Amino acid sequence: MLPGFVNGHHHVGLTPVQLGSPDMPLELWFITRMVTRNLNIYLDTLYSAFEMIASGITTVQHIHGWMPGTLSEVEAKAEQVIRAYEDIGMRVSYCYAVRDQNRLVYQADDEFVASLPKELQGPMKRWFERFKLGLDDAMGMFESMHARHNNKPRVKIQLAPANLHWCSDKALTVLSQTSKKYQVPMHMHLLETSMQKEIRLAARRMHRGRIHRPLRYARSAHDAGARRLAQRKGHRAHGGGRRMCVSQLLLQFPASLRHRALNTSRPRGSTPR
């Protein structure tokens, strides 16, 4: 006899591979996800819930990825996710992954669009414009969903800064303050690829601890190990006050380093397809 397992990090039902997006280094994989087909999010969530229950999982941390649409449209999709878990009877801790910068590459969105050939700038700009949920909207969605769901026995609403390079200092500060105000934990992705590691190391060298400081007062929680790990690895700020935002760091790397980071993103020992 075993207790129900907890899935501490979950996104979707049908996998990207099932939807035609091949397994690639993250930075290239994002591009393939731009043209993925739209799914009924309620049925997709039910599908993954069936699979989890069959595997002995009764509790899930659902991190809702970046979604196109207005505040009301994104919130409606979030409600469908929660309704699916309620209908099947699983426990869920729901959070919407907040990102407000560098949303496709490790560079400011407008700078990235301007760097493209003229014939691609218009389509790329229109693609970004589909995502209308700003930082204030995301925090408003958290507050309204927290008020509706957080007192339920099988549903909790928490916070999720998507990753350090996807969140501005302002976003990290607001998320930290909201975590403390509502006494909810935070769930954050950390290093996922070699390129992100290079950016992280460069940030530490140029201004140690700057990207961790906004999270200092976030609520501590047993299921927020990734956030605590980030804090433990933080350092006092120094370096003569030199400041450089994460979105600028990649631009400091020579082309050979960017190429190496992409080519070493796959697990060691694996062969290219």
Side-chain angles (χ1 to χ4, degrees), residues 197-207 249 252-253:
K197 180 179 179 180
E198 296 291 349
I199 292 174
R200 171 68 180 86
L201 292 174
R204 178 184 290 182
R205 288 193 298 269
M206 293 178 180
H207 200 78
L249 294 175
Q252 306 299 312
F253 300 150

Side-chain angles (χ1 to χ4, degrees), residues 72-86:
S72 60
E73 291 169 336
V74 173
E75 191 164 353
K77 294 175 183 177
E79 292 291 344
Q80 293 179 44
V81 170
I82 292 176
R83 181 167 64 89
Y85 288 119
E86 288 183 305

Side-chain angles (χ1 to χ4, degrees), residues 9-109:
H9 189 110
H10 176 75
H11 292 293
V12 294
L14 288 175
T15 69
V17 171
Q18 289 174 308
L19 294 173
S21 183
D23 186 12
M24 303 174 69
L26 186 69
E27 290 79 12
L28 300 179
W29 177 80
F30 278 149
I31 306 301
T32 70
R33 294 287 283 163
M34 290 173 64
V35 293
T36 190
R37 67 187 65 181
N38 292 322
L39 298 175
N40 182 310
I41 199 165
Y42 173 79
L43 296 179
D44 188 61
T45 304
L46 278 183
Y47 173 79
S48 63
F50 293 149
E51 290 193 319
M52 285 187 279
I53 291 173
S55 302
I57 296 167
T58 58
T59 303
V60 59
Q61 165 71 68
H62 189 108
I63 308 110
H64 203 162
W66 191 30
M67 299 291 291
T70 62
L71 171 58
S72 60
E73 291 169 336
V74 173
E75 191 164 353
K77 294 175 183 177
E79 292 291 344
Q80 293 179 44
V81 170
I82 292 176
R83 181 167 64 89
Y85 288 119
E86 288 183 305
D87 288 349
I88 206 168
M90 285 185 68
R91 298 180 183 92
V92 58
S93 177
Y94 173 92
C95 51
Y96 181 81
V98 175
R99 58 181 79 185
D100 69 337
Q101 66 176 18
N102 313 336
R103 293 178 294 175
L104 187 61
V105 299
Y106 304 133
Q107 184 182 13
D109 298 343

Side-chain angles (χ1 to χ4, degrees), residues 87 157 161 244:
D87 288 349
I157 307 297
M244 178 169 290

Side-chain angles (χ1 to χ4, degrees), residues 149-200:
H149 297 292
N150 217 58
N151 290 326
K152 295 179 178 179
R154 291 198 297 266
V155 181
K156 299 299 176 188
I157 307 297
Q158 67 176 68
L159 295 164
N163 206 320
L164 292 170
H165 53 270
W166 287 324
C167 290
S168 64
D169 282 0
K170 177 182 177 181
L172 293 174
T173 300
V174 169
L175 286 159
S176 176
Q177 292 170 344
T178 306
S179 170
K180 182 180 179 181
K181 177 181 177 180
Y182 286 89
Q183 290 295 290
V184 298
M186 301 171 70
H187 187 113
M188 177 188 284
H189 296 71
L190 291 179
L191 299 181
E192 299 176 86
T193 70
S194 297
M195 182 172 285
Q196 289 182 6
K197 180 179 179 180
E198 296 291 349
I199 292 174
R200 171 68 180 86

